[in-house]
Amino acid sequence: MKTNDFSVRIATVNGTGSMSANTIIYKTLFRMGIGASPKNLFPSNIKGLPTWFQIRVSPQGYQAMKESSEVAVWMNPNTLDKDIASAPENGVVVYNSDAMDETLIKGRPDLTLYPIPVTSLTKESVPKPKLRPLLANMIYVGAIAELFNLDTNTLEAVVKDIFKAKESVVELNLNIIQTGANYVKEHIKKTDPYQFELLTPPKNKITIEGNDASGLGAAFGGCTFLAWYPITPSSSVAEAVEKQLKTHHNTPDGKAKYAIVQAEDELAAAGMTLGAGWAGARAMTCTSGPGISLMTEFIGYGYFAEIPGVFVNVQRVGPSTGLPTRTQQGDLLFVSTLGHGDTNHVMLFPATPIECFELMQEAFNYAERFQTPIFVMTDLDIGMNYWISDDLPYPQKGFDRGKVLSKEDIEKNGNSFARYEDIDGDGIPYRTLPNTQADGAAYFTRGSGHTETAAYSESSVIYDRVTKRLVKKFKTIEQNIAKPIISGDPKAVIGILGVGSSHFAVEEAADQLAAEGVQTKLCRPLAFPFGEEIEQFLFDCDHVFVIDQNRDGQLLQLIRNRFPQAWDRLISITYNLGLPLPANAITRQILKDLKRDPSAYEFEQFKPEPKETTTYE
Amino acid sequence: MSEPTPVKKGKENRIGLDKGCYSGAASTLCLGCGHDSITAAIVQAYWDMGVNPYQVAKISGIGCSSKTPAYFLRKSHGFNSVHGRMPSVATGAGLVNKDLHILGVSGDGDSASIGMGQFVHLLRRNINMTYIVENNGTYGLTKGQFSATADVGSKLKGGQPNNLPPVDLCELAIQLDCSFVARGFAGDRKQLITLLKAAHSHQGTALIDVLSPCVTFNDHEGSTKSYNYIRDHYDPIAQADFIPSYDPIEIEHPEGTSHTVTLHDGSKVLLTKIKESYDPSRKAQALSTLERAKDENKIVTGLVYAPHRNEDFATLSNLVDTPLCHLSESELRPSQEVLQSINDSMR
């Protein structure tokens, strides 16, 4: 038997409620103590297009995407040809025998087939036709539970939690699940080796989507202002912030310690965020690439006028609309210098839910300390998939509100201050907030050339001085920002460097490589600008593989720009499919480059597809 | 930057400041620019009212109009933002510090073209602020192109006529239920000062679309935004007087020829010499008055629309009394127990 070490890929049609069914299976596995990781591969659509949900379980608790799935559930006849093609050799398939063209399936005699008449079973057990499409998915939940041994008590508890509002709904769903299970019991003889086994239920573990963790980070980081415009995959950050603030940031008499604006577009969301940051609030917005494009002008302004603001970019595939529901680390270069003229921005790269939670809090500290827009760069994989995590830890660090002068400070200073003067030698000036009740506290914020006292200036010399002081500030940021995480074998000469969601695949790849006799050490920057710890890492290795989830090796380019002397030891690995990064993609490339045999990590499906050709008569 | 205009120490207002405290740097606009008259009216109105200048945030977009916040209220924080985006900055700043008086300054290019989206949505939200559009029908800083408020048939300096229908910001604002819609004229300082005072006392968005001739690019024969054209077609709805809440006086209401608008802080605008029974709380009448005046080639000014409206966005948001920007860590970070219960909910 193969226990707790395989993947299940469920092919359904979106808008049919399959997400509830899939979540029930995933959460049951999580509560059974099995290391499970789900990936939701969904279309940019509400109803009627194909969607896949892949749940991977592994004894090591790997959370990276696996390229192939040993077990498949086929509910969508429209994707049958694709699903047949993607089924691995000797795979196991549970499918709706009422809906599929079984002659096609018979073309794969290697597969173990478990036909279930889902449509007729649903028809028999659900009297209301309107409910049938929604409940049909519960048939496969029951079938999987029975075939692969989901713990019944845990499953029941999960269903009760998911539909907690209505007892009748719980009962109905449990009945349909039972129908599916009963059909398997009576009609199917299990011949495959895969099964789940109940382990010790986890303690101090949670399961959470990255966007929810980011939202919690904002709430615990003292966010009082959110402006946003709906866009996949970042809308759920805003919804999470809103939910947390509404639950935990109201006074006992119901007054709100926050303001939320659903803006008319991302330009407005950026302007509102900067307006609020300028006035002294911990302000944020969240968006994805297309929204960042629209915010560009304001962000350039925020850099030059030195205004705090937190900008969450849940990256998706671009350019333009791109593949809106697919994941990519495609905005690294773009964001690093967003705005025209010479601009430099701070980016944070959380990978795990705890890092989303903690770096969001830190983002508000950095924004106020460094007086500049701070970008929290996650992606669709981190943001919209569930992850298993340790409990979110209570923050140990207090708020850093940065260099803000009070009425008394201004009065002590002879009723004057110079907004853009580098008093402390760290490149970070002091600011005042509007409504500071002192003469000399006010200053005029502008995107035009300005002097140290914030007066309008077209002087070349002053412009040069002010913008070079910003370079000094960026150096201060580099020295005071989150340090990279270095791990792996300290004696290794092969390094792997990646950020954000690449983390899970990199760690797994390191294990695979170790099993092949290749020791590696790993570096995961948590922030840009990159500091000397990263330089040290690069020179501690003979070769460093830089992992990018984009076409052009954007992280590689940032590293090369910052450390040109390390150029010849950097090797690029790019993954440009818009899917969560699998470990195999890293391992096979490294093995190839090291002239070792990569065949155990090759994967058929991702070999180049033939070009579609058009003929003209 | 030029030196601030030297102002002699003069008479003090009710908070003990002389008018010089409300002035700013010397204007760099063309001599005779309508915008400078608006600047002077702002200085006068805010001084008269005894507004605490520290409490004002001056926010603007880009263009000649948006340069003017440097020329008034030297003791107030200023934010000269990006083109057409004053409304969003004002929204953010105003919501996180509701003690601020937001004074937004924009132009016709800024609000009727590049920033129309933000203009419209700010009005929908009824953000608490004074919103001045310094409207000259032309892009001055880029040397005289038509703006979207230019009338059909109005001519550029070189003689080319505009043939696209104009955006009427007041009518647009009325349609969106803006809670205070006024039109002023830079050449009628007395009325403008009254409107500015009323706008300042209003809770919610107070829009004043001020016709403000551009002496360099749009003050010629054939332009409908010139001083001469506006004066020749000028038609105030009524004579308006502002009665501040701190200085109530007994007023006589000549029967049938007056109307009083009471503002949030208790101040009043008294409209007298009304030609017909004009009630600025009536939307249809406000719109038809503006439209009819156009048919008659007249330019209506005054407080056009002041409905008994809805709450402003900050009120709808039910904010705590302390401005959000002043909330501290102890008021903002949930407890360890809260985080524990959140963790427990995700098992």
Side-chain angles (χ1 to χ4, degrees):
Chain A
M1 293 302 275
K2 275 201 95 174
T3 304
N4 292 350
D5 195 6
F6 58 100
S7 286
V8 182
R9 178 182 286 216
I10 302 160
T12 53
V13 178
N14 80 327
T16 60
S18 54
M19 196 57 197
S20 309
N22 298 337
T23 308
I24 287 170
I25 299 173
Y26 164 65
K27 287 214 164 163
T28 302
L29 292 167
F30 164 67
R31 289 198 198 171
M32 287 169 69
I34 303 171
S37 162
K39 300 290 177 196
N40 187 16
L41 312 175
F42 60 103
S44 177
N45 182 270
I46 299 300
K47 251 183 162 85
L49 286 186
T51 176
W52 290 269
F53 193 80
Q54 180 172 317
I55 305 172
R56 174 187 188 185
V57 295
S58 67
Q60 301 87 347
Y62 289 136
Q63 299 200 63
M65 172 101 172
K66 212 163 94 171
E67 285 170 318
S68 67
S69 268
E70 292 83 348
V71 176
V73 178
W74 297 345
M75 292 288 287
N76 184 359
N78 296 328
T79 58
L80 184 60
D81 49 347
K82 272 190 188 169
D83 291 328
I84 291 174
S86 72
E89 218 177 324
N90 303 319
V92 179
V93 182
V94 179
Y95 67 97
N96 180 0
S97 55
D98 291 335
M100 304 293 166
D101 179 354
E102 293 190 286
T103 53
L104 286 177
I105 301 174
K106 299 235 158 75
R108 285 286 305 269
D110 61 304
L111 300 176
T112 302
L113 299 175
Y114 299 134
I116 316 264
V118 173
T119 315
S120 26
L121 285 175
T122 317
K123 207 171 166 184
E124 283 160 26
S125 42
V126 184
K128 286 187 192 161
K130 240 171 76 183
L131 291 177
R132 282 176 199 153
L134 290 171
L135 286 157
N137 298 305
M138 294 301 155
I139 297 280
Y140 73 69
V141 174
I144 285 180
E146 184 61 29
L147 278 165
F148 305 105
N149 200 23
L150 284 179
D151 180 63
T152 318
N153 293 335
T154 315
L155 176 65
E156 212 178 294
V158 168
V159 172
K160 280 182 182 156
D161 282 356
I162 285 189
F163 300 111
K164 60 188 156 210
K166 292 170 221 150
E167 213 169 289
S168 60
V169 178
V170 170
E171 201 180 317
L172 185 57
N173 279 278
L174 283 174
N175 279 343
I176 311 296
I177 290 172
Q178 196 55 52
T179 305
N182 288 346
Y183 183 87
V184 169
K185 258 185 224 161
E186 289 157 22
H187 298 91
I188 298 214
K189 184 174 158 24
K190 182 177 166 79
T191 53
D192 71 275
Y194 302 105
Q195 65 167 8
F196 301 120
E197 187 180 85
L198 180 65
L199 303 175
T200 321
K203 273 205 182 117
N204 303 326
K205 294 268 184 197
I206 57 170
T207 175
I208 183 173
E209 290 173 290
N211 283 350
D212 282 338
S214 301
L216 282 166
F220 280 77
C223 173
T224 52
F225 184 80
L226 164 70
W228 67 293
Y229 184 77
I231 181 170
T232 304
S234 87
S235 300
S236 56
V237 174
E239 286 154 5
V241 174
E242 181 162 359
K243 182 181 157 197
Q244 291 310 322
L245 293 180
K246 282 193 169 155
T247 316
H248 302 296
H249 285 73
N250 282 326
T251 56
D253 59 344
K255 297 237 174 195
K257 290 189 272 189
Y258 56 87
I260 297 174
V261 188
Q262 186 185 318
E264 53 271 31
D265 54 35
E266 289 91 343
L267 288 84
M272 290 172 194
T273 301
L274 291 183
W278 175 76
R282 297 203 137 192
M284 70 171 282
T285 181
C286 48
T287 186
S288 190
I292 293 281
S293 305
L294 289 176
M295 294 177 178
T296 305
E297 187 183 20
F298 255 129
I299 285 164
Y301 184 103
Y303 169 79
F304 189 37
E306 301 182 65
I307 303 174
V310 173
F311 294 77
V312 180
N313 180 4
V314 186
Q315 297 166 91
R316 70 185 216 190
V317 176
S320 187
T321 309
L323 309 179
T325 59
R326 299 287 189 258
T327 191
Q328 191 176 53
Q329 297 176 328
D331 301 340
L332 304 184
L333 280 176
F334 176 53
V335 168
S336 67
T337 61
L338 196 65
H340 73 279
D342 293 318
T343 44
N344 295 295
H345 296 295
V346 179
M347 298 187 283
L348 304 178
F349 304 113
T352 65
I354 288 180
E355 287 170 5
C356 288
F357 180 63
E358 293 187 329
L359 286 176
M360 269 305 289
Q361 297 170 42
E362 205 64 304
F364 289 100
N365 291 333
Y366 293 158
E368 292 193 317
R369 168 58 47 186
F370 304 130
Q371 297 174 30
T372 196
I374 302 289
F375 292 85
V376 180
M377 305 287 283
T378 67
D379 59 34
L380 185 142
D381 183 20
I382 297 174
M384 292 189 72
N385 283 316
Y386 273 110
W387 303 87
I388 293 178
S389 163
D390 290 337
D391 279 7
L392 301 178
Y394 195 74
Q396 300 301 311
K397 217 173 131 184
F399 294 177
D400 178 357
R401 305 303 303 253
K403 300 184 187 181
V404 178
L405 298 175
S406 66
K407 170 183 193 280
E408 291 72 27
D409 296 331
I410 295 292
E411 284 168 351
K412 255 185 252 161
N413 202 41
N415 283 98
S416 75
F417 95 108
R419 169 66 181 99
Y420 295 112
E421 180 136 25
D422 182 12
I423 305 281
D424 301 330
D426 58 3
I428 306 169
Y430 285 81
R431 63 177 183 139
T432 55
L433 306 182
N435 205 15
T436 302
Q437 300 285 317
D439 267 9
Y443 68 97
F444 201 84
T445 307
R446 42 164 64 87
S448 323
H450 43 257
T451 65
E452 280 79 358
T453 53
Y456 180 86
S457 165
E458 292 184 18
S459 154
S460 323
V461 178
I462 293 173
Y463 171 80
D464 184 53
R465 200 166 66 211
V466 168
T467 49
K468 283 186 176 154
R469 198 253 310 148
L470 288 171
V471 174
K472 189 172 171 192
K473 176 164 96 170
F474 208 60
K475 198 74 196 165
T476 300
I477 295 174
E478 182 189 302
Q479 288 156 358
N480 290 282
I481 205 157
K483 304 288 179 214
I485 296 174
I486 313 268
S487 61
D489 179 355
K491 294 194 291 288
V493 291
I494 307 282
I496 308 179
L497 186 150
V499 296
S501 61
S502 299
H503 163 65
F504 303 95
V506 167
E507 290 226 308
E508 186 180 346
D511 288 354
Q512 292 173 340
L513 289 163
E516 299 287 330
V518 180
Q519 301 306 317
T520 54
K521 66 164 150 287
L522 315 177
C523 174
R524 186 157 63 84
L526 291 181
F528 177 85
F530 300 138
E532 55 187 19
E533 299 81 1
I534 295 170
E535 184 173 27
Q536 186 64 46
F537 174 85
L538 297 177
F539 287 96
D540 282 349
C541 300
D542 291 346
H543 299 289
V544 176
F545 291 88
V546 181
I547 314 301
D548 266 289
Q549 296 181 54
N550 52 58
R551 184 191 65 184
D552 292 346
Q554 298 191 21
L555 177 60
L556 176 85
Q557 293 185 55
L558 287 177
I559 295 275
R560 276 181 180 168
N561 264 348
R562 174 65 182 81
F563 308 110
Q565 65 281 25
W567 191 286
D568 59 356
R569 66 190 65 213
L570 304 175
I571 304 169
S572 180
I573 295 182
T574 61
Y575 188 77
N576 188 40
L577 298 175
L579 298 170
L581 178 66
N584 284 9
I586 300 170
T587 304
R588 64 178 167 247
Q589 192 58 48
I590 293 180
L591 290 176
K592 268 181 208 167
D593 284 347
L594 298 176
K595 310 267 183 266
R596 289 169 184 250
D597 176 16
S599 56
Y601 304 93
E602 292 289 2
F603 185 64
E604 288 293 322
Q605 195 192 355
F606 296 123
K607 285 197 172 160
E609 282 183 31
K611 272 187 201 162
E612 285 183 26
T613 51
T614 312
T615 47
Y616 298 94
E617 306 218 342
Chain B
M1 198 66 193
S2 339
E3 287 301 304
T5 330
V7 180
K8 282 183 216 144
K9 181 87 181 159
K11 201 177 128 193
E12 289 179 353
N13 65 4
R14 67 188 183 101
I15 63 165
L17 296 177
D18 67 27
K19 215 199 283 182
C21 296
Y22 292 79
S23 68
S27 170
T28 59
L29 300 175
C30 309
L31 197 64
C33 178
H35 299 357
D36 283 338
S37 302
I38 300 172
T39 292
I42 292 170
V43 170
Q44 183 70 44
Y46 280 54
W47 180 74
D48 281 352
M49 301 264 292
V51 173
N52 175 356
Y54 303 137
Q55 212 175 343
V56 178
K58 311 169 287 184
I59 304 179
S60 61
I62 293 289
C64 292
S65 57
S66 291
K67 292 170 82 168
T68 64
Y71 314 145
F72 55 79
L73 297 180
R74 68 180 76 230
K75 293 173 189 289
S76 306
H77 273 70
F79 194 130
N80 184 189
S81 74
V82 298
H83 201 6
R85 315 298 170 206
M86 175 274 280
S88 61
V89 175
T91 300
L95 286 176
V96 301
N97 191 345
K98 59 181 184 174
D99 291 348
L100 285 176
H101 287 297
I102 306 280
L103 174 55
V105 178
S106 179
D108 40 317
D110 211 50
S111 281
S113 284
I114 191 169
M116 185 184 252
Q118 298 213 342
F119 170 77
V120 162
H121 288 279
L122 179 125
L123 299 184
R124 283 183 61 230
R125 294 188 187 103
N126 200 17
I127 297 294
N128 190 23
M129 69 179 291
T130 298
Y131 191 134
I132 300 172
V133 180
E134 307 192 348
N135 185 350
N136 56 17
T138 188
Y139 286 83
L141 270 182
T142 51
K143 303 203 169 178
Q145 301 81 5
F146 277 128
S147 85
T149 62
D151 295 310
V152 171
S154 188
K155 288 182 180 141
L156 285 183
K157 232 177 167 179
Q160 308 91 312
N162 170 47
N163 49 22
L164 296 177
V167 171
D168 185 324
L169 292 172
C170 285
E171 287 193 28
L172 191 56
I174 294 166
Q175 292 207 335
L176 292 161
D177 280 324
C178 176
S179 49
F180 181 112
V181 181
R183 177 160 281 147
F185 171 40
D188 186 347
R189 178 90 50 99
K190 184 170 177 290
Q191 183 201 46
L192 185 55
I193 289 170
T194 304
L195 293 174
L196 283 164
K197 290 176 180 176
H200 180 80
S201 301
H202 174 71
Q203 175 95 13
T205 308
L207 172 72
I208 313 178
D209 177 26
V210 189
L211 299 170
S212 176
C214 171
V215 289
T216 304
F217 295 109
N218 209 11
D219 197 31
H220 46 270
E221 185 72 30
S223 159
T224 61
K225 293 277 194 291
S226 67
Y227 277 114
N228 284 341
Y229 185 91
I230 296 169
R231 284 203 182 101
D232 289 349
H233 298 80
Y234 197 61
D235 188 24
I237 287 175
Q239 182 184 316
D241 291 293
F242 180 75
I243 302 129
S245 60
Y246 54 83
D247 191 18
I249 49 165
E250 284 299 316
I251 40 171
E252 285 191 19
H253 295 251
E255 197 63 32
T257 60
S258 74
H259 190 94
T260 308
V261 178
T262 306
L263 299 161
H264 179 79
D265 68 354
S267 305
K268 290 182 171 63
V269 181
L270 176 65
L271 304 172
T272 50
K273 298 185 191 165
I274 299 175
K275 283 176 228 141
E276 49 190 307
S277 76
Y278 192 83
D279 176 358
S281 71
R282 288 162 61 191
K283 191 171 182 174
Q285 190 186 33
L287 284 169
S288 70
T289 301
L290 289 172
E291 278 300 309
R292 202 164 57 235
K294 277 184 201 163
D295 292 343
E296 295 167 1
N297 262 331
K298 287 179 178 167
I299 296 169
V300 165
T301 62
L303 178 55
V304 184
Y305 186 52
H308 310 291
R309 185 194 161 175
N310 55 28
E311 294 164 313
D312 68 290
F313 196 85
T315 309
L316 283 174
S317 300
N318 195 21
L319 303 178
V320 288
D321 295 337
T322 312
L324 301 180
C325 61
H326 296 318
L327 292 172
S328 65
E329 181 178 338
S330 61
E331 292 161 294
L332 290 176
R333 179 169 273 169
S335 68
Q336 194 139 14
E337 291 68 38
V338 167
L339 184 60
Q340 184 62 44
S341 74
I342 291 170
N343 277 321
D344 288 341
S345 72
M346 299 187 291
R347 308 218 184 273

